[in-house]
Amino acid sequence: MGMRPVPVPDETSGPFWNAAAAHVLSLARCARCGQFSHPPDTVCPHCGSTDPCFDFAPVDGSGEIRSWTVVRQSFLPGFDVPFVLVDVELSAQRDLRLVGRLLDGPDAALSVGAPVRLAFEDIASDVAVPAFELAERRRPGPGPTPRPGTRPGAAS
Amino acid sequence: MTGRMDASNRVAIVGYGQSQLVRHAEVPLGTMTVETARRAIDDAGLKVTDVDGFVTASLFPTAGAHTAEDGVSLVSANWLAKALAVNPRYAAGFQGYGQLPGAVSLAVNAVASGAANYVLMHRALHNPRGSYHSNPMREARGSQQWTVPQGFFGPLAMIALAYNEYVQQYGASREAMAAVVAEARKNGARIPWSYWSANPLSRDQYLDAPMIDDPICRLDCDIPVDGVAAFVFTSAERARDLPRRPVYVAGYATGAPVRHRLPLHWPLDDIMEIGTETARRLWERSGVGPEEVDLPQVYDGFSPFVYFWMEALGLCGLGEAHERARDGGIDSDVKGAMPVLSGGGALGNGRMHGVPQMLECYLQLAGRAGARQRANASIGIACHSSPHFGGAVTYSAEQF
């Protein structure tokens, strides 16, 4: 396999990729309303500020699976197939979503609501990409896990 | 603004042209477009010099490393007007998803406002040589840096995540989707210009197809083609002097997601919440409800959109569309079933976006569907794209 495409950091994403290289998930947070948005945009999607002065704050990256797919044909270079992509709702903030690879392999038993924790893949020198691994399901908890509420203070 | 559109039933389609749908045309897309446009104008009983408005949506929807060139891989309204040697009073292009309803809205607005008297709307789609979506990129820049490094790329993963949410939530089976795709191909096989003409697909053939992005297999995707369709719009008053029976635009609606997402991240909640609002607007602007529609044509560029549209439009309850499909409830040959793919859709014709849905509405409501003509078709809906990003148009055989 050849190299996977590497991200090219720009003025909006530099802190995200610098943190990722150190295996830290650091997301853009609006200085006006304190809400995370991913990816950062010119206008804060939460409070509408056109001057969100995003700072980047670490989040622990745990969350739960909302959906997944097993990719069996890659349209990009450098990916061995099959692999699993998961759509994860991060526990750091309600409806804060990240789509990444699940490193447990294509045969892992998955379900909506299954807990995941953050992992990183080192794909080049000083370049790491956020990914996920299955985490132990917390007990007790009959029925589906309740959706996490907005917890801006959850950043560690 | 609420309530029925001022332009409701005041603008009509009065003629059409449709090219053969082929994998790779022997002539450039621009050539096919000029020929199809001339046929549409002639079909409407008009001369090229009568046409004073040109509209389209010219998106070239590939994730691959293909060049977008006007007249070759896409055709803009201005390119077509110039090629026909017309200096139009009005020319415009719709940007974004929902290209068909978007372009129809430009045509309707141009006629209703008096910006143009006869508007040609076309849609030209190109199938590039080589893999449609493959991209050899080594670096991911701009918005792609947030998804490409993870291997999240292209529309198949996009629809697979949304469809898997549906499968997990409602227990939809592959057998149900086999019924959807077989229905589209059955109807497409009856259409002379379809890529799949005389080539239906059995449910077993569907079930044997390998997965690409679980639960999406190759047969859940429409096949890329070179193809062009064109329609002529004018006012209801002018339509009376033209040879073809007019089909009126009762209303249109488009949606736009409000939530901030990663590129190509289309969670099912977004699709259904915004899609339901798209449908509500459609009924309000058109002055009809789902119970009055006898020719609903849902979009099916990826097969799960059939379920999403049926449910967003209220043709069945939330989570019920897969059961309807499985149990024969969308079989266009069964009386009382919902003929949601009677025109073959994109799965049964080829990747023409919402053209097959629009053309089926036009042909049936104008009484021009030939051997496929349905009795009593009166109100049609033509959908395109996802309910939350795209839109729909209501067509009527009569003014009301």
Side-chain angles (χ1 to χ4, degrees):
Chain A
M1 301 298 291
M3 279 264 294
R4 280 164 58 171
V6 293
V8 180
D10 53 38
E11 21 184 77
T12 65
S13 66
F16 175 89
W17 290 114
N18 285 339
H23 289 202
V24 173
L25 181 65
S26 187
L27 299 182
R29 189 162 61 176
C30 174
R32 311 297 169 202
C33 72
Q35 295 280 297
F36 288 106
S37 52
H38 184 70
D41 209 339
T42 47
V43 177
C44 173
H46 301 287
C47 71
S49 172
T50 52
D51 187 23
C53 291
F54 285 118
D55 59 11
F56 282 75
V59 298
D60 74 4
S62 64
E64 49 179 65
I65 293 176
R66 296 292 302 274
S67 189
W68 69 92
T69 178
V70 182
V71 178
R72 299 183 188 277
Q73 177 183 341
S74 176
F75 295 98
L76 292 168
F79 287 92
D80 283 315
V81 289
F83 67 89
V84 178
L85 281 175
V86 282
D87 171 3
V88 171
E89 179 166 354
L90 296 173
S91 53
Q93 182 179 295
R94 183 176 180 142
D95 207 25
L96 183 63
R97 308 278 274 266
L98 208 59
V99 177
R101 275 154 56 93
L102 186 83
L103 303 183
D104 300 66
D107 299 323
L110 302 180
S111 59
V112 174
V116 291
R117 62 170 172 263
L118 192 65
F120 281 90
E121 293 184 279
D122 295 301
I123 64 167
S125 170
D126 293 326
V127 181
V129 175
F132 294 97
E133 292 172 339
L134 286 172
E136 291 299 309
R137 193 180 285 273
R138 282 189 191 152
R139 302 287 178 188
T145 315
R147 294 259 187 94
T150 304
R151 287 184 289 141
S156 52
Chain B
M1 191 199 90
T2 58
R4 191 141 167 221
M5 275 173 37
D6 289 346
S8 182
N9 292 336
R10 289 175 46 207
V11 178
I13 302 176
V14 291
Y16 84 105
Q18 167 71 61
S19 78
Q20 283 291 321
L21 304 180
V22 296
R23 277 296 264 171
H24 296 287
E26 290 170 3
V27 297
L29 191 64
T31 307
M32 287 176 79
T33 308
V34 168
E35 290 171 353
T36 307
R38 285 178 176 149
R39 276 203 299 278
I41 295 163
D42 184 60
D43 184 61
L46 297 167
K47 298 188 295 294
V48 169
T49 48
D50 294 324
V51 176
D52 54 357
F54 289 81
V55 300
T56 192
S58 57
L59 179 76
F60 178 36
T62 162
H66 304 290
T67 309
E69 187 179 348
D70 209 356
V72 178
S73 49
L74 53 85
V75 177
S76 69
N78 289 92
W79 189 98
L80 180 57
K82 184 163 178 278
L84 289 169
V86 174
N87 175 8
R89 290 205 294 149
Y90 182 83
F94 175 81
Q95 299 277 338
Y97 293 96
Q99 294 87 350
L100 262 286
V104 168
S105 72
L106 294 179
V108 169
N109 295 355
V111 171
S113 67
N117 292 340
Y118 300 99
V119 175
L120 185 89
M121 188 218 89
H122 79 275
R123 182 74 178 112
L125 275 141
H126 177 53
N127 179 28
R129 298 273 173 187
S131 168
Y132 197 82
H133 289 307
S134 278
N135 196 312
M137 75 171 87
R138 318 301 305 186
E139 296 181 326
R141 296 171 188 276
S143 65
Q144 289 191 319
Q145 70 182 298
W146 305 109
T147 50
V148 161
Q150 287 93 318
F152 179 36
F153 180 74
L156 282 96
M158 170 198 84
I159 193 65
L161 288 174
Y163 180 39
N164 195 31
E165 269 195 89
Y166 186 93
V167 166
Q168 299 300 322
Q169 198 163 338
Y170 302 116
S173 65
R174 283 207 83 206
E175 285 71 19
M177 197 57 94
V180 171
V181 177
E183 167 69 10
R185 289 285 296 275
K186 175 196 79 181
N187 291 318
R190 298 170 179 171
I191 294 174
W193 54 85
S194 163
Y195 175 76
W196 296 114
S197 188
N199 195 353
L201 181 92
S202 73
R203 296 186 188 200
D204 284 343
Q205 283 175 295
Y206 175 85
L207 294 172
D208 288 343
M211 290 291 171
I212 301 179
D213 285 68
D214 303 19
I216 293 289
C217 71
R218 184 174 299 281
L219 294 172
D220 291 309
C221 315
D222 55 358
I223 191 165
V225 292
D226 281 331
V228 182
F231 298 86
V232 179
F233 290 75
T234 193
S235 65
E237 291 76 22
R238 289 188 192 89
R240 289 191 197 110
D241 300 326
L242 296 175
R244 303 292 183 185
R245 182 169 137 192
V247 171
Y248 302 96
V249 179
Y252 59 76
T254 53
V258 291
R259 289 206 195 87
H260 185 63
R261 297 292 187 201
L262 289 162
L264 294 181
H265 184 210
W266 292 12
L268 186 60
D269 285 351
D270 290 13
I271 293 173
M272 297 312 299
E273 283 173 28
I274 307 296
T276 304
E277 170 62 14
T278 304
R280 191 197 64 73
R281 289 178 190 169
L282 182 72
W283 306 133
E284 182 177 87
R285 289 179 171 183
S286 308
V288 295
E291 63 285 347
E292 291 157 271
V293 176
D294 44 27
L295 193 69
Q297 296 292 296
V298 298
Y299 183 63
D300 64 335
F302 292 114
S303 61
F305 285 134
V306 172
Y307 297 162
F308 303 161
W309 272 112
M310 284 174 67
E311 295 176 16
L313 289 169
L315 301 179
C316 64
L318 212 57
E320 293 176 4
H322 68 104
E323 295 169 344
R324 287 286 187 101
R326 182 195 63 201
D327 300 339
I330 63 167
D331 186 336
S332 64
D333 296 330
V334 171
K335 203 171 180 185
M338 280 184 292
V340 294
L341 291 165
S342 64
L347 293 169
N349 284 276
R351 184 169 301 159
M352 284 300 292
H353 282 165
V355 163
Q357 286 79 1
M358 179 180 180
L359 183 55
E360 175 71 351
C361 285
Y362 172 70
L363 292 176
Q364 295 288 353
L365 298 179
R368 301 182 66 185
R372 300 189 310 105
Q373 183 66 45
R374 303 179 66 82
N376 307 320
S378 62
I379 304 273
I381 303 286
C383 306
H384 180 216
S385 187
S386 168
H388 77 315
F389 250 121
V393 180
T394 308
Y395 294 100
S396 175
E398 306 289 341
Q399 288 178 292
F400 61 87

